[in-house]
Coordinates of all heavy atoms in Angstrom, one line a residue:
V1192 N 0.5 -8.6 -9.3 CA -0.1 -9.0 -8.1 C 0.8 -10.1 -7.4 O 1.1 -10.0 -6.2 CB -1.5 -9.5 -8.3 CG1 -2.1 -10.1 -6.9 CG2 -2.4 -8.4 -8.7
R1193 N 1.1 -11.1 -8.1 CA 1.9 -12.2 -7.5 C 3.3 -11.7 -7.1 O 3.8 -12.2 -6.1 CB 2.0 -13.3 -8.5 CG 0.6 -13.9 -8.8 CD 0.7 -15.2 -9.6 NE 1.2 -16.3 -8.8 CZ 0.6 -17.4 -8.7 NH1 -0.6 -17.6 -9.2 NH2 1.1 -18.4 -7.9
A1194 N 3.9 -10.8 -7.8 CA 5.2 -10.2 -7.3 C 5.0 -9.5 -6.0 O 5.8 -9.6 -5.1 CB 5.8 -9.3 -8.4
D1195 N 3.9 -8.7 -5.9 CA 3.7 -7.9 -4.7 C 3.4 -8.9 -3.5 O 3.8 -8.7 -2.4 CB 2.5 -7.0 -4.8 CG 2.8 -5.8 -5.8 OD1 4.0 -5.7 -6.1 OD2 1.9 -5.2 -6.2
V1196 N 2.6 -10.0 -3.8 CA 2.4 -11.0 -2.7 C 3.7 -11.6 -2.3 O 3.9 -11.8 -1.1 CB 1.4 -12.0 -3.3 CG1 1.4 -13.3 -2.4 CG2 0.0 -11.5 -3.4
L1197 N 4.6 -11.9 -3.2 CA 5.9 -12.4 -2.8 C 6.7 -11.5 -2.0 O 7.3 -11.9 -1.0 CB 6.6 -12.8 -4.1 CG 7.9 -13.6 -3.9 CD1 7.6 -15.0 -3.3 CD2 8.6 -13.8 -5.3
V1198 N 6.6 -10.2 -2.3 CA 7.3 -9.2 -1.4 C 6.7 -9.3 0.0 O 7.5 -9.3 1.0 CB 7.0 -7.7 -2.0 CG1 7.4 -6.7 -1.0 CG2 7.8 -7.6 -3.3
L1199 N 5.4 -9.3 0.2 CA 4.8 -9.4 1.5 C 5.2 -10.7 2.2 O 5.6 -10.6 3.4 CB 3.3 -9.3 1.4 CG 2.7 -8.0 0.9 CD1 1.2 -8.2 0.9 CD2 3.1 -6.9 1.8
E1200 N 5.2 -11.8 1.5 CA 5.4 -13.1 2.2 C 6.9 -13.3 2.6 O 7.2 -14.0 3.5 CB 4.9 -14.2 1.3 CG 3.4 -14.2 1.2 CD 2.9 -15.4 0.3 OE1 3.7 -16.1 -0.3 OE2 1.7 -15.5 0.2
R1201 N 7.8 -12.6 1.8 CA 9.2 -12.7 2.1 C 9.7 -11.7 3.2 O 10.7 -11.9 3.8 CB 10.0 -12.4 0.9 CG 10.0 -13.5 -0.1 CD 10.8 -13.1 -1.4 NE 11.1 -14.2 -2.2 CZ 11.7 -14.1 -3.4 NH1 12.1 -12.9 -3.9 NH2 12.0 -15.2 -4.2
W1202 N 8.9 -10.6 3.4 CA 9.4 -9.6 4.3 C 9.1 -9.8 5.8 O 7.9 -10.1 6.1 CB 8.7 -8.3 3.9 CG 9.2 -7.1 4.7 CD1 10.5 -6.6 4.7 CD2 8.4 -6.1 5.4 NE1 10.5 -5.5 5.5 CE2 9.3 -5.2 5.9 CE3 7.0 -6.0 5.7 CZ2 8.8 -4.1 6.7 CZ3 6.6 -5.0 6.5 CH2 7.5 -4.0 7.0
A1203 N 10.1 -9.7 6.6 CA 10.0 -9.8 8.0 C 10.5 -8.5 8.6 O 11.7 -8.3 8.6 CB 10.7 -11.0 8.6

Side-chain angles (χ1 to χ4, degrees):
V1192 172
R1193 295 188 74 122
D1195 292 348
V1196 165
L1197 191 61
V1198 168
L1199 293 180
E1200 292 180 353
R1201 285 177 167 176
W1202 185 56

